Amino acid sequence: MPDLLSNVVAFVFALGVIIFVHEAGHLVVAKLFGTRVLTFSLGFGKRLWGFQRGETDYRVSLVPLGGYVRLGGEEPGEVSDDPREFLNKPRWQRILVYLAGPSMNIVLSILLIAVLFMIGIQVPMLKNVEPVVGLVVAGSRAEEAGILPGDRVVAVDGEPVQSWEQVQFALMTAPEQPVALEIERREARFDVEVTPRMVEKYEFGDAGLAPQFLPRVTQVFDDSPAEAAGLEVGDELRAVAGRPVSDSAGFVEVIQQSAGEAVELGVVREGRPLTLTVVPEGEPGEGRIGIGLGILQRYGPLEAVAASVVYNIDIARQTFAVLGKIVTGGLSARSISGPIEIAAMSGAAARTGFRNLLYLMGLISISIAILNLLPIPLLDGGQIFILLIESVRQRDLSLPVKERIHQVGFYMIVMLMVVVLYFDLVKNLPEGLLPGS
């Protein structure tokens, strides 16, 4: 029950901020162009609370799964001579009003990720991590293919790679599909074929590989052995049980095999070497100390914004690649997260620290921007697409055509929500509660 409550609170907070920023973009640009704004609502359905300022009703509504801005004369068929009505505005102004919402989500994501880059962000899979194998899970598809720790991945499916991020993305988006890897081992190069196993919950691929990098502590869980031992975020791990640490795999292996035993850790904190003693908890062979490992990057303000822009571009590129694979059948729609899954992730992120919640909010914000820019009727991208068609034709589409387009868009969105909610339930409800399970 406490987890459920924290999930709901974190979800409402995260989505509320993201939707507020989105709808505020529409509101501000519409008012700049002198358009009548009738309603600014966070949520849908019954009005719970709000206030009237001028001609605009600012409200919070019952269903917290989105929001809307209602403009005067926005609906097809609303004919008026009032120059303040939305449909009487020039098409370029209407396009900018629709574009403002997704644009604000992009700005929000850039700012959130930039803040994280300034205070320090865990980036174990970013471009600066070389495509060198650090860990091969026993019994995994990668081990079956003959891949060894220390191997460098030179190319994936014939395309050269420069970072582990590219390798991981290719493997994750190819469940039960062969992926050709070109491997460099010492002086030799050879090709192997790996078929990532499917992770049932999300139906993405897992080949059993992890990268090689010198780990730092990026997270210390509350009431954990690591916290009791005095480990702090930013500590660089140099030794474990008297053995030097060259990558995270070796460190994790020692900890797993030392459940219930005192283990000395050699760390470097702000340039000072320290020795700490930790007692891993858990069953034999499954020891853990309650930390997150990765590479902690920290930038100045300008560098942080630049890095955030690049990061968001990469996220957008990967999102379109995933959507392309879903459309072509290469990846299951089950990999898409809906409100239930987002709530669970929001709660989990909030429980492990506000920094993680901010990171998740950045990812959700850029995802909402991308979704809204798709040319789906009723969404911002669909409205922009119609206005661009009308601009090329130099005349409006007929009212019956617009009404039919809106109907199709409504049914598409309803179907999408039903599919997403179904997969959310499949992924999060206990087995046996769904029909046919």
Side-chain angles (χ1 to χ4, degrees), residues 25 87 106 372:
L87 292 179
I106 294 172
N372 272 277

Side-chain angles (χ1 to χ4, degrees), residues 72 80 116 132 152 170 197 207 221-222 238 321 325 341 349 372:
S80 170
L116 291 174
V132 177
R152 175 181 288 272
R197 71 174 182 86
F221 293 97
D222 292 338
R238 292 293 183 88
K325 289 202 172 190
E341 186 76 6
N372 272 277

Side-chain angles (χ1 to χ4, degrees), residues 134-136 210-211 213 215 245-254 256 293:
L135 171 68
V136 180
F213 58 87
V245 173
S246 58
D247 56 53
S248 60
F251 176 82
V252 170
E253 183 180 3
V254 173
Q256 288 177 337
L293 295 178

Side-chain angles (χ1 to χ4, degrees), residues 345-368:
M345 290 189 292
S346 299
R351 287 190 293 274
T352 56
F354 193 65
R355 181 183 310 191
N356 291 333
L357 181 60
L358 289 182
Y359 177 71
L360 181 62
M361 287 172 63
L363 295 185
I364 296 173
S365 189
I366 190 67
S367 299
I368 287 178

Side-chain angles (χ1 to χ4, degrees), residues 25 45 70 77 122 152 174 182 210 233 252 271 288 308 310 313 319-320 355-356 408 421 423:
R70 184 179 169 218
Q122 177 183 347
R152 175 181 288 272
E182 184 179 350
V233 171
V252 170
R288 56 188 181 276
S308 179
V310 173
I313 290 173
T319 300
F320 281 117
R355 181 183 310 191
N356 291 333
V408 171
L421 283 171
F423 283 130

Side-chain angles (χ1 to χ4, degrees), residues 235-379:
D235 286 350
E236 185 176 298
L237 300 172
R238 292 293 183 88
V240 56
R243 295 162 50 182
V245 173
S246 58
D247 56 53
S248 60
F251 176 82
V252 170
E253 183 180 3
V254 173
I255 295 298
Q256 288 177 337
Q257 300 302 321
S258 303
E261 303 175 11
V263 179
E264 282 196 350
L265 304 180
V267 305
V268 173
R269 180 180 300 164
E270 297 180 351
R272 296 181 295 109
L274 299 172
T275 300
L276 305 174
T277 301
V278 65
V279 180
E281 61 185 7
E283 299 297 323
E286 299 179 1
R288 56 188 181 276
I289 61 175
I291 61 173
L293 295 178
I295 297 173
L296 194 70
Q297 285 192 338
R298 188 177 284 115
Y299 297 110
L302 294 180
E303 288 179 309
V305 171
S308 179
V309 169
V310 173
Y311 189 81
N312 275 274
I313 290 173
D314 285 342
I315 293 297
R317 176 181 53 79
Q318 292 179 7
T319 300
F320 281 117
V322 168
L323 290 174
K325 289 202 172 190
I326 291 174
V327 171
T328 58
L331 196 62
S332 171
R334 190 169 178 165
S335 58
I336 299 175
S337 294
I340 298 174
E341 186 76 6
I342 292 172
M345 290 189 292
S346 299
R351 287 190 293 274
T352 56
F354 193 65
R355 181 183 310 191
N356 291 333
L357 181 60
L358 289 182
Y359 177 71
L360 181 62
M361 287 172 63
L363 295 185
I364 296 173
S365 189
I366 190 67
S367 299
I368 287 178
I370 292 170
L371 174 64
N372 272 277
L373 288 173
L374 296 177
I376 299 174
L378 288 186
L379 296 183

